[in-house]
């Protein structure tokens, strides 16, 4: 089987390995440590993570904040029920009520102009179909506040339960600051404020960026060649201050630790825009990225990666395989199953150095 085919990145995973709830406290999750040079695997706990970094290293965090953007029990005038996942606000002319892009289930036979009653009782209206299950929806004023009050956290579908009050805290990093995601950057869920304090005390730099994770992160790739795949664009921003921290780290010979595939994708998007040479200085940037990283790939700005255990055949698994090698990662996943690691968003962590 060719490594350029999606089928080469599939593996068996019984549902019993999928974490339904997070580890409490966050840092009590397990940590598998992979050394790419030695091809070695070590088993630890996330609490030990600060000891893996040295003075002069740099940690890159994605500060995106997950909105409670799912609404179930939405009713049409006919009485039928819908579920809406609000993705992002649509920039209008300013002369109309706010409009948001939303994924709607069931989308079949849903007509433009359909009036709906949202969770909490406010009225909304389906304006037009954009594509597939994506619709433009006219919503109440101050809709961000409305979501905070009446929305549910958009925990992934493979968790197979409804979100509850605990998820408002658990499905959010402790450093989340910029609202805009409809899925969490889950590698960051293991971090506590105490771990961040320990890292700073060790002389580790902390750089932050933002990539708002869209629902496309859970959309399966299409069977076939990797070069034919496309990802949904997601908005990102990295500031001049963050670039200075990262550039200073590299200039002094320190290592850049990307927390999550989202941070890695931003760093690689910006690095490729800067000229594509490894070690090239990064500059502030803002925009949209649909960068799909898969083997073989030469990383320009990432020296170590903190991540979780991912879905078979997913774009995030392919990025991890590009970083550490397909055979090594799939071997590590098989060992994780033997050792009883917990998989996916609320699961255990992996550090690749």
């Amino acid at each position: 089987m060719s490594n350029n085919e999606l089928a080469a990145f599939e593996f068996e995973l019984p549902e019993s390995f999928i974490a339904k709830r997070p580890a409490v406290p966050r840092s009590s999750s397990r940590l598998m440590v992979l050394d790419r040079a030695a091809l070695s695997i070590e088993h630890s706990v996330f609490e030990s993570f600060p000891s893996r970094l040295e003075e002069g290293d740099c940690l890159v965090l994605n500060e995106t904040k997950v909105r409670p953007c799912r609404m179930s029990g939405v009713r049409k005038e006919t009485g039928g029920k819908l579920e809406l996942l609000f993705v992002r606000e649509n920039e209008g002319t300013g002369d109309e009520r706010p409009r948001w892009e939303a994924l709607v289930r069931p989308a079949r036979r849903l007509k433009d102009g359909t009036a709906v009653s949202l969770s909490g009782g406010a009225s909304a209206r389906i304006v037009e179909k954009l594509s597939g299950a994506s619709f433009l929806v006219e919503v109440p004023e101050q809709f961000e506040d409305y979501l905070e009050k009446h929305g549910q956290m958009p925990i992934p579908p493979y968790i197979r339960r409804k979100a509850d009050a605990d998820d408002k805290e658990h499905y959010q990093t402790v450093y989340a600051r910029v609202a805009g995601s409809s899925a969490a950057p889950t590698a960051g869920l293991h971090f506590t404020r105490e771990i961040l304090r320990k890292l700073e005390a060790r002389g580790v730099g902390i750089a932050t960026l933002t990539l708002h994770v869209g629902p496309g992160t859970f959309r399966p790739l299409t069977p076939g060649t990797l070069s034919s795949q496309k990802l949904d664009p997601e908005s990102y921003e990295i500031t001049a201050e963050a670039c200075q921290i990262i550039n200073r780290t590299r200039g002094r010979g320190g290592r850049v630790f990307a927390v999550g595939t989202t941070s890695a994708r931003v760093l690689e998007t910006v690095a490729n825009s800067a000229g594509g040479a490894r070690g090239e200085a990064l500059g502030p940037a803002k925009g949209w990225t649909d960068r799909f990283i898969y083997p073989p790939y030469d990383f320009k700005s990432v020296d170590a990666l903190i991540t979780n255990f991912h879905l078979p055949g997913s774009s995030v698994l392919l990025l991890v395989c590009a970083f550490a090698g397909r055979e090594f990662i799939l071997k590590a996943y098989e060992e994780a199953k033997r050792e009883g690691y917990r998989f996916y968003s609320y699961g255990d962590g992996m550090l690749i150095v």
Side-chain angles (χ1 to χ4, degrees), residues 118-297:
L118 300 176
S119 306
S123 297
R125 183 174 65 89
I126 306 297
V127 176
E128 63 176 296
K129 182 172 183 174
L130 299 175
S131 63
S134 179
F135 290 80
L136 193 61
V137 183
E138 190 177 76
V139 297
E141 300 287 346
Q142 286 83 50
F143 192 59
E144 289 264 12
D145 294 339
Y146 192 87
L147 283 176
E148 285 294 330
K149 187 173 182 180
H150 299 289
Q152 300 169 325
M153 291 299 275
I155 59 173
Y158 50 69
I159 290 183
R160 298 187 185 279
R161 64 171 176 82
K162 290 185 178 180
D164 57 29
D166 287 342
D167 293 306
K168 281 223 172 183
E169 176 188 353
H170 294 153
Y171 196 61
Q172 195 81 270
T173 64
V174 298
Y175 48 80
R177 189 181 62 84
V178 187
S181 275
S182 41
T186 54
L189 297 180
H190 308 287
F191 285 83
T192 63
R193 298 194 184 283
E194 179 61 22
I195 282 181
L196 294 173
R197 281 193 290 269
K198 287 181 178 179
L199 287 164
E200 290 183 303
R202 290 179 69 88
V204 174
I206 307 288
T208 59
L209 50 75
T210 303
L211 182 134
H212 292 315
V213 188
T217 190
F218 302 119
R219 189 170 296 128
L221 296 176
T222 306
T225 60
L226 302 183
S227 58
S228 66
Q229 310 289 339
K230 292 190 180 300
L231 300 187
D232 291 348
E234 294 169 316
S235 65
Y236 75 91
E237 182 174 8
I238 184 169
T239 65
E241 180 184 2
C243 290
Q244 287 170 3
I245 295 170
I246 295 166
N247 294 336
R248 185 166 59 244
T249 297
R250 300 196 72 90
R252 294 174 177 173
R255 299 169 297 171
V256 175
F257 284 66
V259 177
T261 58
T262 59
S263 295
R265 286 179 63 224
V266 172
L267 292 174
E268 292 303 306
T269 296
V270 177
N272 280 276
S273 299
R278 180 166 179 81
E280 192 84 22
L282 303 184
K286 182 178 182 180
W288 295 79
T289 182
D290 59 358
R291 179 162 291 277
F292 177 33
I293 297 174
Y294 58 90
Y297 180 84

Side-chain angles (χ1 to χ4, degrees), residues 69-75 81-86 105 117-120 150-152 162-163:
C69 56
R70 176 173 285 141
M71 286 194 171
S72 55
V74 175
R75 289 191 174 274
K81 289 185 178 181
L82 301 171
E83 179 180 276
L84 275 66
L85 181 72
F86 290 95
R105 291 193 314 176
S117 178
L118 300 176
S119 306
H150 299 289
Q152 300 169 325
K162 290 185 178 180

Side-chain angles (χ1 to χ4, degrees), residues 64 112 192 258 333:
T64 190
D112 294 353
T192 63
Y333 272 46

